[in-house]
Amino acid sequence: MSASNVVDGIDQIQFEHVRVFVLEDVPEPGSITLVDTAFDENGAELVEVLETRYGDVDRVILTHGDHGHHGGLSHVVEAFSPEIAMPADETKLYDHLEEAGLDIEPDVAYEDGDVLDGNIRVIQVPGHTEATSALLLEDRDILISGDVLDGSDRGGLPAGYLLPPPALFNDSHRDAELNLYALLGHEFDTLLVFHGSHVFENPKEKLDDYLVEREWNEWDPRTD
């Protein structure tokens, strides 16, 4: 495990297979927002790092229902009693919480297009899961991927580019690609991912180039 700064006001806590993000002074000065909670087996260590580095956690935003993104939630809730925001329509997430015997209900059940406190816009891109959500920090043009996209080096390619998650992990790989067009209607110049390397140079243009070259692309939403 390691903790480091990514950009001003945003840190990452890196575990073996996934990372989480810590937003400082969001939604207000002095507050801490945690984005996702890694795996259950990472929970105790995550809490220890959060207590040591930040003291408290005011809010947790969960992006989708994969275990590696919500597994540590019970540890964080027990330690900090934060506000919880999670997608309203992510059946996989609610099923996992029920299977784990966790009586955890969101304070905010968000949907596509909602703007969370701190001017964080939700952009849902179904395909990886039912309601996989990216988070756009509109004041800063920073997009947090939420497994909508990975760094290209996760797939053994050069860093600095973007790919959808591997087909093995997607409910519908075609939808996971095609629905990426939803991102192109928004402005962002930094893209932070949970797997692989972040993209700090022209992420939107690189995503556009990727989509327009896809052979399956019989329908281009931009021409409607």
Side-chain angles (χ1 to χ4, degrees):
M1 188 282 304
S2 63
S4 60
N5 179 251
V6 183
V7 296
D8 185 38
I10 302 179
D11 295 346
Q12 68 179 25
I13 302 174
Q14 178 72 55
F15 297 96
E16 183 176 4
H17 298 293
V18 72
R19 60 180 63 109
V20 304
F21 293 103
V22 179
L23 313 183
E24 298 187 82
D25 298 320
V26 176
E28 58 190 16
S31 63
I32 295 292
T33 290
L34 175 67
V35 181
D36 288 344
T37 63
F39 288 97
D40 177 59
E41 56 263 36
N42 305 131
E45 190 172 18
L46 174 60
V47 166
E48 181 179 354
V49 173
L50 292 169
E51 289 178 334
T52 300
R53 292 178 67 95
Y54 310 101
D56 200 3
V57 173
D58 301 282
R59 175 175 61 170
V60 174
I61 303 175
L62 299 181
T63 60
H64 65 292
D66 284 346
H67 285 295
H69 292 259
H70 70 77
L73 180 62
S74 62
H75 299 268
V76 174
V77 168
E78 182 177 355
F80 304 110
S81 299
E83 176 185 290
I84 301 172
M86 62 177 71
D89 298 325
E90 181 74 336
T91 305
K92 184 177 185 179
L93 174 56
Y94 292 92
D95 286 349
H96 283 175
L97 294 178
E98 183 177 356
E99 290 165 7
L102 299 177
D103 184 19
I104 296 176
E105 294 290 336
D107 299 285
V108 176
Y110 63 74
E111 298 179 346
D112 182 45
D114 286 353
V115 179
L116 307 179
D117 286 349
N119 206 20
I120 300 175
R121 181 172 297 276
V122 175
I123 309 170
Q124 292 190 328
V125 181
H128 176 60
T129 65
E130 181 181 10
T132 302
S133 301
L135 305 174
L136 178 61
L137 281 59
E138 293 192 308
D139 292 341
R140 303 184 60 187
D141 293 338
I142 295 173
L143 186 69
I144 299 176
S145 71
D147 274 10
V148 166
L149 288 162
D150 292 339
S152 52
D153 52 333
R154 183 190 190 184
L157 299 173
Y161 294 86
L162 297 158
L163 291 173
L168 173 66
F169 301 128
N170 296 330
D171 290 347
S172 167
H173 189 64
R174 186 180 188 280
D175 288 349
E177 289 191 311
L178 187 59
N179 290 329
L180 287 169
Y181 278 107
L183 300 177
L184 297 181
H186 302 273
E187 295 303 319
F188 52 92
D189 54 29
T190 297
L191 202 151
L192 306 182
V193 296
F194 287 86
H195 308 280
S197 295
H198 308 308
V199 177
F200 299 102
E201 295 185 8
N202 304 318
K204 183 176 177 180
E205 290 82 355
K206 290 173 179 176
L207 175 60
D208 196 358
D209 290 344
Y210 170 82
L211 288 173
V212 79
E213 294 296 334
R214 299 303 293 146
E215 292 181 358
W216 52 258
N217 187 16
E218 299 173 359
W219 169 69
D220 186 338
R222 295 169 298 183
T223 64
D224 279 4

